[in-house]
Amino acid sequence: AMVAAGYVVEVLFGALGLIPSTRHAKIVDAHVSLNGDTVLNVVFLAVTVALVVRFLRTGGIHMLKMMNRSRGHGGDHDPTDS
């Protein structure tokens, strides 16, 4: 359906003359720069590493294994009951 819609749009735009004959795109050289986005990426990478290390040091893997094991052996307890 998506391919058919793409062809319909292409034919429709071509028939209406909405496809430009010349392109004015400018190609710029990519370069690495230190800007606000880079700083935020580094900060959040550090936060992520700290949280993963904390999870592993506090027994997170063991906790997940226990949760998975107890899922099938919970008895008649309904977690929605108070």
PDB file of all heavy atoms in Angstrom, residues 20-29:
ATOM      1  N   PRO A  20      10.159  20.173  -9.082  1.00  0.00           N
ATOM      2  CA  PRO A  20      11.082  21.174  -9.634  1.00  0.00           C
ATOM      3  C   PRO A  20      12.055  20.537 -10.622  1.00  0.00           C
ATOM      4  O   PRO A  20      12.489  19.405 -10.460  1.00  0.00           O
ATOM      5  CB  PRO A  20      11.814  21.707  -8.406  1.00  0.00           C
ATOM      6  CG  PRO A  20      11.629  20.682  -7.345  1.00  0.00           C
ATOM      7  CD  PRO A  20      10.375  19.948  -7.662  1.00  0.00           C
ATOM      8  N   SER A  21      12.375  21.306 -11.668  1.00  0.00           N
ATOM      9  CA  SER A  21      13.288  20.780 -12.688  1.00  0.00           C
ATOM     10  C   SER A  21      14.749  20.968 -12.288  1.00  0.00           C
ATOM     11  O   SER A  21      15.610  20.234 -12.748  1.00  0.00           O
ATOM     12  CB  SER A  21      13.024  21.475 -14.024  1.00  0.00           C
ATOM     13  OG  SER A  21      13.192  22.871 -13.880  1.00  0.00           O
ATOM     14  N   THR A  22      15.041  21.954 -11.456  1.00  0.00           N
ATOM     15  CA  THR A  22      16.412  22.173 -10.988  1.00  0.00           C
ATOM     16  C   THR A  22      16.444  22.070  -9.473  1.00  0.00           C
ATOM     17  O   THR A  22      15.469  22.359  -8.784  1.00  0.00           O
ATOM     18  CB  THR A  22      16.933  23.558 -11.400  1.00  0.00           C
ATOM     19  OG1 THR A  22      16.075  24.559 -10.845  1.00  0.00           O
ATOM     20  CG2 THR A  22      16.960  23.706 -12.900  1.00  0.00           C
ATOM     21  N   ARG A  23      17.611  21.696  -8.987  1.00  0.00           N
ATOM     22  CA  ARG A  23      17.767  21.564  -7.539  1.00  0.00           C
ATOM     23  C   ARG A  23      18.798  22.585  -7.068  1.00  0.00           C
ATOM     24  O   ARG A  23      19.805  22.823  -7.717  1.00  0.00           O
ATOM     25  CB  ARG A  23      18.212  20.157  -7.179  1.00  0.00           C
ATOM     26  CG  ARG A  23      17.139  19.122  -7.508  1.00  0.00           C
ATOM     27  CD  ARG A  23      17.586  17.758  -7.110  1.00  0.00           C
ATOM     28  NE  ARG A  23      16.730  16.623  -7.170  1.00  0.00           N
ATOM     29  CZ  ARG A  23      15.740  16.339  -7.968  1.00  0.00           C
ATOM     30  NH1 ARG A  23      15.374  17.194  -8.848  1.00  0.00           N
ATOM     31  NH2 ARG A  23      15.076  15.219  -7.915  1.00  0.00           N
ATOM     32  N   HIS A  24      18.539  23.159  -5.911  1.00  0.00           N
ATOM     33  CA  HIS A  24      19.429  24.164  -5.348  1.00  0.00           C
ATOM     34  C   HIS A  24      20.000  23.700  -4.008  1.00  0.00           C
ATOM     35  O   HIS A  24      20.243  24.514  -3.119  1.00  0.00           O
ATOM     36  CB  HIS A  24      18.685  25.487  -5.158  1.00  0.00           C
ATOM     37  CG  HIS A  24      18.121  26.025  -6.431  1.00  0.00           C
ATOM     38  ND1 HIS A  24      18.897  26.547  -7.433  1.00  0.00           N
ATOM     39  CD2 HIS A  24      16.846  26.106  -6.873  1.00  0.00           C
ATOM     40  CE1 HIS A  24      18.129  26.936  -8.432  1.00  0.00           C
ATOM     41  NE2 HIS A  24      16.873  26.674  -8.120  1.00  0.00           N
ATOM     42  N   ALA A  25      20.203  22.418  -3.865  1.00  0.00           N
ATOM     43  CA  ALA A  25      20.736  21.889  -2.613  1.00  0.00           C
ATOM     44  C   ALA A  25      22.222  22.185  -2.503  1.00  0.00           C
ATOM     45  O   ALA A  25      22.953  22.070  -3.476  1.00  0.00           O
ATOM     46  CB  ALA A  25      20.501  20.386  -2.538  1.00  0.00           C
ATOM     47  N   LYS A  26      22.637  22.578  -1.322  1.00  0.00           N
ATOM     48  CA  LYS A  26      24.049  22.835  -1.073  1.00  0.00           C
ATOM     49  C   LYS A  26      24.597  21.693  -0.235  1.00  0.00           C
ATOM     50  O   LYS A  26      24.028  21.341   0.790  1.00  0.00           O
ATOM     51  CB  LYS A  26      24.237  24.154  -0.326  1.00  0.00           C
ATOM     52  CG  LYS A  26      23.805  25.354  -1.135  1.00  0.00           C
ATOM     53  CD  LYS A  26      23.994  26.624  -0.340  1.00  0.00           C
ATOM     54  CE  LYS A  26      23.514  27.809  -1.161  1.00  0.00           C
ATOM     55  NZ  LYS A  26      23.603  29.060  -0.414  1.00  0.00           N
ATOM     56  N   ILE A  27      25.695  21.149  -0.661  1.00  0.00           N
ATOM     57  CA  ILE A  27      26.334  20.069   0.073  1.00  0.00           C
ATOM     58  C   ILE A  27      27.478  20.660   0.872  1.00  0.00           C
ATOM     59  O   ILE A  27      28.378  21.302   0.328  1.00  0.00           O
ATOM     60  CB  ILE A  27      26.852  18.975  -0.884  1.00  0.00           C
ATOM     61  CG1 ILE A  27      25.689  18.392  -1.672  1.00  0.00           C
ATOM     62  CG2 ILE A  27      27.595  17.905  -0.124  1.00  0.00           C
ATOM     63  CD1 ILE A  27      26.095  17.411  -2.727  1.00  0.00           C
ATOM     64  N   VAL A  28      27.432  20.451   2.170  1.00  0.00           N
ATOM     65  CA  VAL A  28      28.482  20.956   3.044  1.00  0.00           C
ATOM     66  C   VAL A  28      29.280  19.777   3.578  1.00  0.00           C
ATOM     67  O   VAL A  28      28.773  18.675   3.713  1.00  0.00           O
ATOM     68  CB  VAL A  28      27.900  21.780   4.208  1.00  0.00           C
ATOM     69  CG1 VAL A  28      27.219  23.030   3.694  1.00  0.00           C
ATOM     70  CG2 VAL A  28      26.935  20.960   5.021  1.00  0.00           C
ATOM     71  N   ASP A  29      30.531  20.031   3.870  1.00  0.00           N
ATOM     72  CA  ASP A  29      31.374  18.988   4.438  1.00  0.00           C
ATOM     73  C   ASP A  29      30.982  18.756   5.893  1.00  0.00           C
ATOM     74  O   ASP A  29      30.837  19.698   6.670  1.00  0.00           O
ATOM     75  CB  ASP A  29      32.850  19.384   4.365  1.00  0.00           C
ATOM     76  CG  ASP A  29      33.362  19.413   2.928  1.00  0.00           C
ATOM     77  OD1 ASP A  29      32.843  18.626   2.125  1.00  0.00           O
ATOM     78  OD2 ASP A  29      34.264  20.224   2.641  1.00  0.00           O
TER      79      ASP A  29
END
